[in-house]
Amino acid sequence: MHADLGPVDATLPDLRCGARWEDIHRVRPRAPLTCPGCTGAVRAKRSPKKLRFFAHDVVTPDCPHHGESLAHHLLKAELAGAAREAGWVCALEVAGHGWRADVLSTHPTQGRPLAWEAQLAAITIEDVEERGRRMREDGVGVCWVSDRSLPWLGQAPSIRVERADDGTLMIIDGLARFVSSWCPKRHKCSHLAAVGPCPGHGHWEPVEPLPLVRLAAAIRDDTTRPLRLRSGVHQAWREQDRVVRWTTAAYAALEAEQVAATEVAEAAQAAALAAYRRGLPPAPPPPDVRRRRLHQAGIAQLVAEEAPRQTGEPAVFDPPQARWAWGVPVSIGGRVRAVICPDPTAVPAVLDRLASVVLYVPADKDVDVLAGHAAPGQRIAVVNGQRRDLQLGGGP
């Protein structure tokens, strides 16, 4: 903090106050600079690698910045630089209600905030989760960043980085993509001893090193989010409970499709086992339920791909709910805009709620069935591999 110019940011060319570095670095008389955390006097310094930062005249143990190393200052500066290059508006050392962000980036038009936390020192996962909780209560997302292999990486939204030869900050851990795999005949799994539908054999795998600025841009566009992985998780990740990874909406939808198919397959296996124990021939799951869950998963994948193209925003899916007639609600821009494959027999109980959304079904014959239970004028759209108009331009 400059006594006359106000807040000073050493990572910006104009220092955020319209001044030059030469105006505060090694000048006489000394620039009137103080720490915003403890109000103690600080001075402008440069590292051997020309990093600009501020250092206390006298060590202040009670200062929130006490103990920050030169490496920590460097990482914060690199995080701010990458986020700004990706289009975020950034400020360093921003305090909130019970939290302080190393770098707080704000979406340039939406005002959506994201904190980048440079963490090099030892810290417990409990501390990481508690600090993240306080930020989320204020509506602030967070990404923890380290250049070291720390035990909590992958247990919270986090990434590990390293510097390339040209100085670019590269992500080497914390990202994942989903690789789908299905049996040729999805109604009959060839990997299982008992007859039943394919649960999916896809898996998550690490992503090759990626520049940090690419992730920052994807988070800005809301096409990439942290996800707690549920299906096809790498054994080492699962054993260490390192299952929180940054991934795209499309990969999340592929996993959701497999999760839904797995539930159907497990129900079929359980029913077959129960029938075997009773000495009865195995009965398949109810075909209408099995068909609806599989179509919900398939349409969700298509919607995840098409929503950003047709609306400029990603789609967010929730599990089937009674309040949406056991369909999958699709939220875009924070509001439910569509419901995938609701149960026709449950529709009459929620006619008023469904009136504001469009209902997705896989074929024209499903339109006729659903329309027979829905209110007059209810919007119903066919979404499949050939027809992908989500019809989200209208409606309240």
Side-chain angles (χ1 to χ4, degrees), residues 279-369:
L280 301 174
D288 56 336
V289 175
R290 184 171 68 248
R291 177 179 182 272
R292 185 168 67 250
R293 295 300 297 276
L294 291 175
H295 282 307
Q296 285 173 342
I299 293 177
Q301 180 182 348
L302 297 174
V303 173
E305 296 172 356
E306 291 295 329
R309 301 191 188 108
Q310 298 184 23
T311 69
E313 298 187 66
V316 178
F317 306 92
D318 285 314
Q321 301 174 17
R323 65 195 304 264
W324 295 108
W326 297 110
V328 173
V330 182
S331 296
I332 298 176
R335 181 167 61 89
V336 175
R337 301 282 300 279
V339 174
I340 302 174
C341 296
D343 180 352
T345 63
V347 165
V350 289
L351 291 179
D352 292 342
R353 182 173 291 113
L354 295 178
S356 63
V357 302
V358 57
L359 309 181
Y360 294 150
V361 293
D364 289 320
K365 63 180 181 180
D366 300 299
V367 174
D368 297 334
V369 173

Side-chain angles (χ1 to χ4, degrees), residues 141-210:
V142 61
C143 180
W144 295 83
V145 185
S146 184
D147 60 5
R148 304 169 190 185
S149 181
L150 299 175
W152 48 264
L153 285 169
Q155 297 184 27
S158 54
I159 54 174
R160 183 184 175 192
V161 297
E162 70 176 14
R163 293 166 186 84
D165 293 340
D166 63 358
T168 301
L169 208 59
M170 304 292 292
I171 302 170
I172 61 172
D173 193 8
L175 310 180
R177 63 182 169 208
F178 193 81
V179 181
S180 289
S181 177
W182 298 93
C183 292
K185 297 180 179 179
R186 289 181 59 168
H187 69 280
K188 182 179 181 180
C189 183
S190 58
H191 292 220
L192 300 177
V195 175
C198 178
H201 309 291
H203 65 276
W204 288 98
E205 65 180 23
V207 175
E208 59 274 6
L210 186 77

Side-chain angles (χ1 to χ4, degrees), residues 71-89:
H72 187 264
H73 285 291
L74 173 61
L75 184 54
K76 285 195 296 185
E78 291 173 310
L79 293 175
R84 287 177 180 133
E85 184 180 347
W88 294 88
V89 178

Side-chain angles (χ1 to χ4, degrees), residues 235-321:
Q235 182 177 355
W237 295 353
R238 186 172 60 252
E239 291 176 349
Q240 300 171 21
D241 193 29
R242 302 176 71 169
V243 297
V244 178
R245 303 280 155 164
W246 290 89
T247 193
T248 66
Y251 288 135
L254 291 177
E255 186 204 48
E257 180 183 15
Q258 179 161 301
V259 169
T262 298
E263 292 176 356
V264 172
E266 289 177 347
Q269 292 293 320
L273 179 59
Y276 175 80
R277 287 173 174 170
R278 296 194 306 269
L280 301 174
D288 56 336
V289 175
R290 184 171 68 248
R291 177 179 182 272
R292 185 168 67 250
R293 295 300 297 276
L294 291 175
H295 282 307
Q296 285 173 342
I299 293 177
Q301 180 182 348
L302 297 174
V303 173
E305 296 172 356
E306 291 295 329
R309 301 191 188 108
Q310 298 184 23
T311 69
E313 298 187 66
V316 178
F317 306 92
D318 285 314
Q321 301 174 17

